[in-house]
Amino acid sequence: MKTAQAGTLESSDIMITLSPQEPGDGVKIDIDSNVLHQYGEAIQAVIASTLAEAGVKDVWVKAVDRGALDYTIKARLLTALDRARRAA
Amino acid sequence: MSWHGFEERSIDLARADEVEAVRAFLARFDLSFDASVDYTVALYQGRTMVATGSMAGEVLRNIAVAADMQGEGLTARVVSHLIQEAGARGIFHHFIYTKPDAAHLFSALGFKEIARAEPYAALLESGLGSIAEHCKMLAAQVADLPPGPRAVLVVNCNPFTLGHRAVIEKAARENASVVVLVVEEDRSLFPYADRLRLVKEGVADLTNVRVLPGGKYVISAATFPAYFTRGEEITKAQTRLDAEVFGRHIAPALGATRRYVGSEPYCAVTATYNDAMLAVLPRYGIEMLVMPRIEVEAAPVSASRVRELIRQDGWDEIAKLVPETTYRYLRAPETAAVIERIKTSQSRH
């Protein structure tokens, strides 16, 4: 895997950057959002479960959210993952 | 690509008419177009340019949106486009250098403010990596230095001279320990790797001195583009911003309360930088000590004089201005290419 990103900073979207980590480092998720207060945990949960489903164990996810809905978050994350794997 | 009637187009920087259009657009915002950028995008509505932004390495700059188009999310479009373009080039960390009253536009896009120098400029960053992580790493690199008063020097050493040696030696005498940060930006006649090595070799006998890479938060293209581009108008803004970053983040991470500099009789930018530090650093509890340059045969020792002497093959003179380690490097066969470049270059740096 290589560092990759997907999404935009436009309203209702999310920009996700993924960086592979050393085996054993685990999953680190940093979220910046204009709705962090209300939805921070929900965004975190979508990202964590999507990573788990995709079998990704050691990765640093940086997400800048601009009010994206769950399926947008999932779609952007999967695209970033796909790019990260293809780049390897 | 076109949404909402706006079309994104990358500017061909080799074409004078396209560059001129961006230049004219930016002039409306009192922004000058810096030809050193790597990439520029513009948004059009029909044939009218309504927004633009550029990047140079990991620095996003010259971002502007037409006054009657503000609130349409065009800043987000421009910044997204630039970040995607940067990502395609393997760059995943970004700086934005902007006016303080525009900083909030970028905070809304996930950028975190590193420092500001009112009323001139603010520096923000986003992406992978942050100044907080950088500072943690710096702190770990000096953790084993002796406790007590600690001083910092930021040096370019292009190349390392007896003048640099004298300032560092004095700091090492007057403090429990000294950290020397070597400017990492590779825009000087001597390559960064060589400059770093010569500083390390030149102070190897001083056991309480630690020489470290300057990193991207100390006199870099992000904190300090004027040092490299010589825009006189913006020099004051950028020197202050760099001093703010140093005072607020770097010095505390290093546990330092003093900064030593050599006096600067020749270079206006460096002299302005020293003034900025004198104005800013005491607010962060950092004492600034200016040391007069040492002289050899009634002339101040300086790296620029060494470079001038290289152009004249004045090797006997050079031997009086630099330590043995630097002299050996300058005369080494593997340095021949660097020496040749200096002889043919008119650059003062």
Side-chain angles (χ1 to χ4, degrees):
Chain A
M1 258 182 40
K2 265 174 107 173
T3 302
Q5 94 201 344
T8 77
L9 299 170
E10 290 172 55
S11 189
S12 308
D13 201 351
I14 185 167
M15 181 173 271
I16 288 183
T17 309
L18 290 178
S19 184
Q21 302 295 294
E22 297 297 317
D25 282 1
V27 171
K28 182 170 111 177
I29 303 171
D30 290 336
I31 299 169
D32 184 282
S33 173
N34 53 350
V35 292
L36 191 66
H37 196 60
Q38 302 97 308
Y39 295 108
E41 284 177 24
I43 298 167
Q44 172 100 18
V46 173
I47 293 174
S49 66
T50 307
L51 288 173
E53 282 165 32
V56 179
K57 291 194 175 64
D58 303 295
V59 70
W60 179 15
V61 179
K62 171 101 195 207
V64 182
D65 170 64
R66 297 264 289 145
L69 296 170
D70 284 8
Y71 51 79
T72 307
I73 298 170
K74 194 167 174 176
R76 293 305 197 189
L77 180 57
L78 288 174
T79 303
L81 264 177
D82 187 46
R83 287 178 182 162
R85 284 170 164 157
R86 235 183 312 171
Chain B
M1 287 187 287
S2 175
W3 287 280
H4 323 303
F6 299 116
E7 189 193 350
E8 291 175 25
R9 230 184 291 157
S10 57
I11 297 295
D12 183 347
L13 295 169
R15 281 189 51 176
D17 58 335
E18 294 198 14
V19 169
E20 192 43 48
V22 175
R23 196 186 298 279
F25 184 79
L26 287 172
R28 285 156 51 188
F29 306 90
D30 287 326
L31 291 171
S32 57
F33 183 76
D34 178 346
S36 70
V37 298
D38 307 322
Y39 181 85
T40 298
V41 65
L43 264 60
Y44 296 83
Q45 190 174 45
R47 294 174 58 84
T48 309
M49 190 183 294
V50 292
T52 182
S54 296
M55 66 179 178
E58 56 188 272
V59 185
L60 311 187
R61 55 200 302 174
N62 291 351
I63 295 167
V65 174
D68 56 339
M69 290 289 169
Q70 279 165 17
E72 300 277 330
L74 293 189
T75 304
R77 285 276 296 272
V78 169
V79 173
S80 296
H81 183 106
L82 292 174
I83 289 179
Q84 287 165 353
E85 186 62 33
R89 295 162 190 229
I91 297 169
F92 296 97
H93 176 262
H94 317 280
F95 287 109
I96 282 186
Y97 180 84
T98 185
K99 291 173 183 164
D101 59 4
H104 67 281
L105 295 174
F106 302 107
S107 299
L109 301 178
F111 280 77
K112 300 277 176 286
E113 187 166 318
I114 296 171
R116 62 168 60 199
E118 294 280 5
Y120 308 109
L123 180 68
L124 300 90
E125 69 177 342
S126 179
L128 299 179
S130 67
I131 192 157
E133 286 155 41
H134 178 74
C135 284
K136 221 186 280 174
M137 184 199 75
L138 278 181
Q141 285 176 311
V142 299
D144 60 325
L145 285 175
R150 183 170 297 163
V152 180
L153 293 94
V154 175
V155 296
N156 197 31
C157 292
N158 184 35
F160 186 80
T161 67
L162 289 172
H164 301 121
R165 164 79 196 190
V167 186
I168 296 169
E169 217 177 272
K170 181 177 157 72
R173 259 196 322 271
E174 295 173 351
N175 296 274
S177 62
V178 176
V179 179
V180 180
L181 298 174
V182 181
V183 172
E184 204 165 332
E185 201 72 39
D186 223 342
R187 306 212 194 169
S188 299
L189 286 167
F190 288 96
Y192 163 67
D194 295 3
R195 289 187 288 110
L196 179 68
R197 197 188 93 208
L198 291 179
V199 180
K200 283 186 172 169
E201 289 177 2
V203 300
D205 58 310
L206 303 172
T207 53
N208 62 340
V209 175
R210 172 84 23 101
V211 180
L212 296 175
K216 57 178 131 183
Y217 299 97
V218 172
I219 313 190
S220 69
T223 67
F224 209 159
Y227 187 74
F228 305 104
T229 60
R230 328 228 110 219
E232 300 299 332
E233 177 81 347
I234 47 179
T235 302
K236 192 171 178 185
Q238 287 166 335
T239 51
R240 296 228 168 197
L241 191 64
D242 185 89
E244 288 284 341
V245 174
F246 182 84
R248 193 164 145 188
H249 301 281
I250 305 296
L254 294 171
T257 52
R258 286 179 180 156
R259 178 148 168 185
Y260 282 67
V261 299
S263 68
E264 180 45 69
Y266 300 126
C267 175
V269 173
T270 308
T272 307
Y273 186 35
N274 286 357
D275 288 346
M277 285 191 286
L278 272 172
V280 171
L281 297 188
R283 280 200 278 110
Y284 292 98
I286 299 158
E287 190 185 354
M288 161 128 165
L289 297 103
V290 182
M291 188 192 156
R293 280 172 183 259
I294 60 159
E295 300 193 344
V296 166
E297 291 168 3
V301 176
S302 79
S304 57
R305 200 167 142 222
V306 171
R307 296 194 299 276
E308 197 45 53
L309 285 165
I310 287 172
R311 294 187 184 107
Q312 301 162 13
D313 273 320
W315 293 104
D316 292 346
E317 288 297 305
I318 291 170
K320 295 176 196 163
L321 305 180
V322 302
E324 168 74 39
T325 44
T326 299
Y327 189 78
R328 227 182 307 134
Y329 159 83
L330 292 174
R331 300 297 264 167
E334 54 274 23
T335 314
V338 175
I339 297 293
E340 194 48 43
R341 195 148 50 86
I342 290 166
K343 284 185 173 174
T344 54
S345 160
Q346 292 309 308
S347 166
R348 291 185 55 248
H349 291 271

